[in-house]
Amino acid sequence: MERRNFINKIYGGLVGTSLLSFSRAREVGEMLNGPVVVSTWDFGMVANAEAWKILGSGGRSLDAVEKGVRIIESDVNNQTVGIGGLPDRDGYVTLDACIMDETGNAGSVSFLQDIEHPISVARKVMEDTPHVMLAGAGALQYALESGFEKKSLLTDKSKAAWEKWKKKSDYKPIINIENHDTIGMIAMDSQGQLSGACTTSGLAYKMHGRVGDSPVIGAGLYVDNEVGAATATGMGEAVLKTCGSFLVVELMRQGLSPEQACKEAVLRIAKKQNYNDFQIGFLALNKRGETGAYCIHPGFNYSLKDSKNERLVKSKSYIKG
Ligand code: ASP
């Protein structure tokens, strides 16, 4: 698509959302980015590089985000996503993932065991079933029927960590700002189309059966191709209670920048919940290719890649470091 058409298309999409967002679009003028991908945490750098193989050659953002997060799902040294993830308190690695495309279509799996790439199962649910979400044994059954292979996801390293935890834990799940992380990735392709993917093994040593925000559309991830996309990491329970990613996108629809929208969503959580013991980080991308993040405690960062740049960006936080 020619650059001018690309810009017109974006401006066209903005008209009718709100006067504020329209005037912001005019202010921004030609500051549109080409393809861009952002993902949570520093491990997002390698995932972004993988996604860029598709985005950089004119491919679709949906393919890019799926391909990107699969790298982290396969990383045995990453103990918060996919294989190698820390188990629940009973020793089972249970995975949550969801994906959304530019048409607003969505797919998700939760409480899935023994499958290395939950994100690809989520995509299959989206594309090949009449449903949005499959859970537990049903999600596994569907994955196996669809040709995914069963594989043990508990590595020796994660098993050893769980056994150590069991000695002192009294079988009590803990909530703190250390024992989790998720890869949430959102991207815009050269056609200006947005997609997102989110995948995690969730909180370490959670109760068996616990599902967090990451596979829930509107909580861990939300994409509205007219406005923008958002994803979340951190204490899933707090994000679920506030429909976090949906909220961030709706705030961008009202004219807030990605960072302002993430900040407002963090403030809502901070106002109502005791945030001392948990972290939340929101990450957002708008239709103009602008990105931003905000978190509760210092320490959250995100990885960004576009045609000019590849870098790790430190998020601003509600509590100052
Ligand atoms: N949001 C994930 C969950 O609650 C964990 C994380 O991102 O830190 O399962």
Side-chain angles (χ1 to χ4, degrees):
M1 192 191 302
E2 275 183 16
R3 182 171 167 76
R4 178 146 300 281
N5 286 345
F6 175 62
I7 292 165
N8 285 344
K9 204 168 165 192
I10 288 166
Y11 281 16
L14 286 163
V15 174
T17 53
S18 76
L19 278 176
L20 188 56
S21 57
F22 182 60
S23 64
R24 256 191 66 78
R26 292 184 53 183
E27 271 166 38
V28 172
E30 296 242 338
M31 270 174 49
L32 283 168
N33 280 321
V36 54
V37 56
V38 281
S39 49
T40 52
W41 305 109
D42 53 355
F43 50 71
M45 295 295 283
V46 28
N48 286 356
E50 190 67 15
W52 196 258
K53 290 180 186 163
I54 291 175
L55 292 174
S57 53
R60 186 181 174 199
S61 56
L62 182 71
D63 296 326
V65 294
E66 181 194 6
K67 196 167 180 197
V69 302
R70 278 173 61 103
I71 292 286
I72 311 302
E73 288 181 335
S74 289
D75 180 355
V76 288
N77 292 315
N78 183 314
Q79 291 187 291
T80 59
V81 179
I83 190 165
L86 288 166
D88 65 18
R89 65 180 182 175
D90 295 314
Y92 299 99
V93 180
T94 73
L95 305 179
D96 294 337
C98 74
I99 194 158
M100 255 187 118
D101 73 10
E102 72 280 3
T103 69
N105 211 1
S108 155
V109 287
S110 62
F111 191 50
L112 176 63
Q113 294 178 54
D114 300 324
I115 297 290
E116 185 172 347
H117 291 300
I119 199 66
S120 297
V121 186
R123 180 166 177 179
K124 231 177 156 31
V125 171
M126 171 172 86
E127 292 179 336
D128 296 346
T129 80
H131 306 306
V132 169
M133 187 175 221
L134 291 179
L140 178 61
Q141 180 188 335
Y142 177 67
L144 296 177
E145 282 167 12
S146 305
F148 290 85
E149 275 172 26
K150 211 166 172 176
K151 183 169 188 173
S152 169
L153 304 178
L154 185 62
T155 55
D156 291 346
K157 186 174 158 199
S158 288
K159 191 170 178 209
W162 168 63
E163 269 158 1
K164 191 167 165 210
W165 171 83
K166 273 200 298 184
K167 285 189 193 138
K168 285 201 250 147
S169 65
D170 294 328
Y171 197 55
K172 286 197 187 113
I174 42 160
I175 287 183
N176 67 31
I177 64 174
E178 307 293 342
N179 68 339
H180 56 81
D181 281 352
T182 291
I183 181 148
M185 174 182 279
I186 46 185
M188 182 171 75
D189 61 31
S190 58
Q191 305 296 304
Q193 310 279 27
L194 305 176
S195 299
C198 183
T199 176
T200 191
S201 53
L203 292 183
Y205 320 129
K206 60 196 172 185
M207 290 173 71
H208 189 58
R210 181 263 188 188
V211 171
D213 60 317
S214 307
V216 177
I217 301 298
L221 176 75
Y222 196 69
V223 177
D224 182 329
N225 204 44
E226 288 177 10
V227 178
T231 189
T233 183
M235 180 53 57
E237 281 72 4
V239 178
L240 280 166
K241 287 181 212 167
T242 50
C243 298
S245 293
F246 181 74
L247 175 61
V248 171
V249 171
E250 289 308 299
L251 290 164
M252 290 196 288
R253 191 192 305 277
Q254 290 168 28
L256 266 57
S257 71
E259 184 184 305
Q260 286 166 343
C262 292
K263 181 175 181 183
E264 177 60 28
V266 161
L267 292 179
R268 298 233 188 141
I269 290 173
K271 207 160 110 188
K272 293 202 178 133
Q273 302 187 36
N274 180 2
Y275 52 81
N276 287 332
D277 293 336
F278 66 77
Q279 171 70 304
I280 299 287
F282 285 113
L283 172 61
L285 161 70
N286 70 13
K287 194 65 184 170
R288 292 183 292 277
E290 298 165 319
T291 64
Y294 211 80
C295 58
I296 299 182
H297 298 272
F300 174 53
N301 51 25
Y302 69 94
S303 303
L304 180 149
K305 177 148 183 57
D306 61 21
S307 51
K308 293 172 235 122
N309 232 322
E310 179 172 28
R311 63 197 168 102
L312 192 61
V313 185
K314 191 173 155 197
S315 167
K316 289 187 193 152
S317 54
Y318 176 64
I319 295 174
K320 305 299 169 205

